[in-house]
Amino acid sequence: EVRLLESGGDLVQPGGSLRLSCAASGFTFSSYDMSWVRQAPGKGLEWVSILSGSGSSRIYYADSVKGRFTISRDNSKNTLYLQMNSLRAEDTAVYYCAKRIVGGGPDFDYWGQGTLVTVSS
Amino acid sequence: QSALTQPASVSGSPGQSITISCSGTSSDLGGYDYVSWYQQHPGKAPKLMIYEVSNRPSGVSNRFSGSKSGNKASLTISGLQAEDEADYYCSSYTMRSTYVFGTGTTVTVL
């Protein structure tokens, strides 16, 4: 059974940093692209970033986080990360990690339950 | 990257068919056959319903179907059921190798 479990969400002050983790199980982690998607309270989904299975290609970010967020993975630990720096109030959201099926599109077949990041003073 | 445009809400009676539209540009939805649709119930993670315009993942009811013409994609739900009441989001690949979601549509079963 595929499982994705996010952690690391917290209350942080504007300008602060946070690292989210996503522990994966039930599939060959290194074979799949992984992505982060966020959802602000009461708002829609916003794609954040994607990273290839190898961790060395297909690294892309949404304009809203580029230069502040860094996606990475440790395939030996089956874990995906999102390092978030220079956090802003508008980064407040539930952050989901998602596994992408093989292909080229935004086809995320498994999602975690999400972890809440709140940026506030 | 601007979000794809969806109607805020769509409603229908049980058994009816409804269609949710998703509009983009030639730089995203119109330029690629990489359009997905997600269903999200309150407090839950999104669920993939359609990928690559019209393909259904294993386990998704065949009452859900997708299509695309030009810069517009559509999700049709036939034989509407109470359990279909949820938020629906389209998503597309973009020319910058990124992804973009739609603004979301709330489906209400009357």
Side-chain angles (χ1 to χ4, degrees), chain A residues 31-69:
Chain A
S31 295
Y32 293 91
D33 295 357
M34 296 293 295
S35 196
W36 289 97
V37 177
R38 68 184 182 183
Q39 187 168 34
K43 303 296 184 181
L45 300 173
E46 179 186 14
W47 176 80
V48 172
S49 182
I50 193 164
L51 180 61
S52 66
S54 66
S56 58
S57 63
R58 196 191 284 276
I59 306 173
Y60 297 102
Y61 298 93
D63 287 345
S64 58
V65 306
K66 192 179 297 182
R68 300 187 299 121
F69 290 11

Side-chain angles (χ1 to χ4, degrees), chain B residues 18-96:
Chain B
I18 61 169
T19 296
I20 303 168
S21 63
C22 173
S23 297
T25 70
S26 58
S27 297
D28 41 61
L29 190 153
Y32 310 91
D33 284 336
Y34 289 136
V35 180
S36 302
W37 289 91
Y38 293 87
Q39 176 191 67
Q40 187 180 34
H41 287 107
K44 301 294 187 181
K47 176 185 178 182
L48 180 65
M49 305 301 285
I50 295 288
Y51 68 97
E52 292 178 357
V53 176
S54 59
N55 295 313
R56 275 189 311 276
S58 174
V60 172
S61 171
N62 59 9
R63 297 186 299 104
F64 293 83
S65 61
S67 64
K68 193 191 88 165
S69 178
N71 294 339
K72 182 177 176 180
S74 299
L75 174 71
T76 297
I77 309 174
S78 59
L80 197 63
Q81 299 180 0
E83 66 206 50
D84 300 332
E85 189 161 288
D87 292 329
Y88 291 82
Y89 296 89
C90 59
S91 184
S92 171
Y93 180 77
T94 81
M95 67 179 296
R96 297 170 62 196

Side-chain angles (χ1 to χ4, degrees), chain A residues 52-118:
Chain A
S52 66
S54 66
S56 58
S57 63
R58 196 191 284 276
I59 306 173
Y60 297 102
Y61 298 93
D63 287 345
S64 58
V65 306
K66 192 179 297 182
R68 300 187 299 121
F69 290 11
T70 302
I71 191 171
S72 63
R73 63 194 295 161
D74 185 337
N75 286 344
S76 69
K77 296 181 178 179
N78 287 352
T79 302
L80 177 74
Y81 302 100
L82 185 68
Q83 177 66 43
M84 304 185 296
N85 298 331
S86 303
L87 283 162
R88 306 166 180 168
E90 54 263 37
D91 295 319
T92 294
V94 172
Y95 285 73
Y96 295 100
C97 66
K99 166 187 168 289
R100 199 172 72 85
I101 64 177
V102 176
D107 314 322
F108 305 113
D109 59 346
Y110 286 95
W111 297 62
Q113 86 293 341
T115 188
L116 177 62
V117 173
T118 303

